[in-house]
Amino acid sequence: MRQLFNGIFEDSGKLLAAGSGRFFNEEIVRVGNAEYREWDPRRSKLAAAIVKGLRNVEIPADSKILYLGAAHGYTVSFLSQICSTGRIYAVEFAPRVARELVMLAGKRSNILPIIEDANQPNLYYHHLESVDIVYEDVAQRNQVEILVKNCNLFLKRGGLAMIAIKARSVDVAEKPAKIFAEAKRQLEEHFRIVDYRGLEPLQKDHAFFVCVKR
Ligand SMILES: C[S@@+](CC[C@H](N)C(=O)[O-])C[C@H]1O[C@@H](n2cnc3c(N)ncnc32)[C@H](O)[C@@H]1O
């Protein structure tokens, strides 16, 4: 087993995250007394970016993360264990998946679900503190704008902004490479980009950027 980052490992071609419990029917690997959950890069853009060789993304155990587009909490569940002494503020606006997110938060006390629109961060301003990382996976046309709004309000200077860009959410007809180039240009107006990964074939028409707030 090879450690890639804090709490994140690779073994025989599988991505594993340290932590006990099964939340999404994932495979559990036991080594001695330690338990690891298999992290599927086809279900999580962060896992896909790591498999594609992501660097510069150390996530310390005490990190506070604002996660935009949490859905039912698949990636959030792994971050909650990687940041075992930190906190995940998980924003999701679709009631059906938010219900599952709330159930997950009942099992993991460092997940705080926020059922609001990430486009309107003023609606959850009072629930938050400043954070070390803003992570976004909302699959919306104005993905970069949503990230910038939230980082301006909540991300510490020097903190990480991570975003999964879904080309088809921006324009179904345009070539993904052109959309990613435009997203890069927009991000560079606000951040210093420290890593970029295309996520094909694990996540179709997706790219992943890691940026630092200046
Ligand atoms: C691709 S899914 C996220 C998957 C999740 N990040 C994971 O890895 O498990 C995108 C989610 O973003 C949510 N979303 C889209 N726009 C949003 C917004 N403006 N505010 C909050 N959630 C939003 C959608 O409801 C959907 O659940």
Side-chain angles (χ1 to χ4, degrees):
M1 186 175 299
R2 184 167 68 100
Q3 180 156 15
L4 302 176
F5 301 103
N6 164 48
I8 305 173
F9 301 81
E10 186 269 330
D11 188 39
S12 313
K14 285 183 182 170
L15 191 66
L16 302 173
S20 58
R22 177 184 279 126
F23 302 101
F24 291 89
N25 214 23
E26 62 276 14
E27 191 187 323
I28 306 294
V29 175
R30 289 190 177 81
V31 181
N33 286 334
E35 263 187 41
Y36 302 85
R37 296 168 60 213
E38 186 175 358
W39 194 2
D40 184 352
R42 295 186 184 272
R43 289 187 74 180
S44 166
K45 280 106 203 178
L46 178 55
I50 293 170
V51 168
K52 295 286 297 209
L54 193 69
R55 298 288 172 271
N56 303 318
V57 72
E58 201 57 64
I59 303 176
D62 61 353
S63 301
K64 291 183 179 124
I65 302 181
L66 170 59
Y67 191 115
L68 308 170
H72 39 51
Y74 182 73
T75 302
V76 166
S77 73
F78 290 92
L79 287 172
S80 142
Q81 291 181 314
I82 292 162
C83 305
S84 51
T85 58
R87 195 168 295 162
I88 322 291
Y89 297 94
V91 179
E92 172 56 56
F93 72 175
R96 195 180 52 80
V97 283
R99 209 170 320 132
E100 290 177 49
L101 179 65
V102 169
M103 282 165 64
L104 175 70
K107 299 177 197 155
R108 297 282 319 163
S109 62
N110 67 347
I111 299 174
L112 286 97
I114 298 176
I115 318 306
E116 290 290 3
D117 181 354
N119 249 313
Q120 300 185 65
N122 53 309
L123 293 179
Y124 47 87
Y125 189 79
H126 52 289
H127 291 303
L128 253 81
E129 56 194 318
S130 62
V131 297
D132 306 294
I133 297 171
V134 175
Y135 181 101
E136 181 182 302
D137 178 18
V138 293
Q140 291 284 347
R141 194 178 172 83
N142 64 335
Q143 295 159 100
V144 173
E145 184 195 335
I146 294 175
L147 183 75
V148 170
K149 273 190 213 173
N150 280 273
C151 289
N152 284 344
L153 280 177
F154 304 115
L155 185 60
K156 289 177 187 165
R157 203 160 167 206
L160 290 180
M162 303 186 201
I163 182 167
I165 299 281
K166 183 176 182 182
R168 295 176 71 80
S169 297
V170 178
D171 186 340
V172 278
E174 191 53 271
K175 285 200 173 74
K178 206 163 168 193
I179 288 167
F180 300 149
E182 174 56 17
K184 177 172 181 284
R185 191 196 63 72
Q186 289 175 18
L187 288 166
E188 278 172 337
E189 286 178 12
H190 304 274
F191 306 101
R192 181 165 56 84
I193 296 174
V194 293
D195 207 323
Y196 165 82
R197 302 283 148 177
L199 301 185
E200 292 274 358
L202 298 164
Q203 300 275 349
K204 192 169 160 42
D205 295 336
H206 276 81
F208 195 88
F209 291 87
V210 181
C211 313
V212 171
K213 184 173 178 177
R214 290 196 205 102

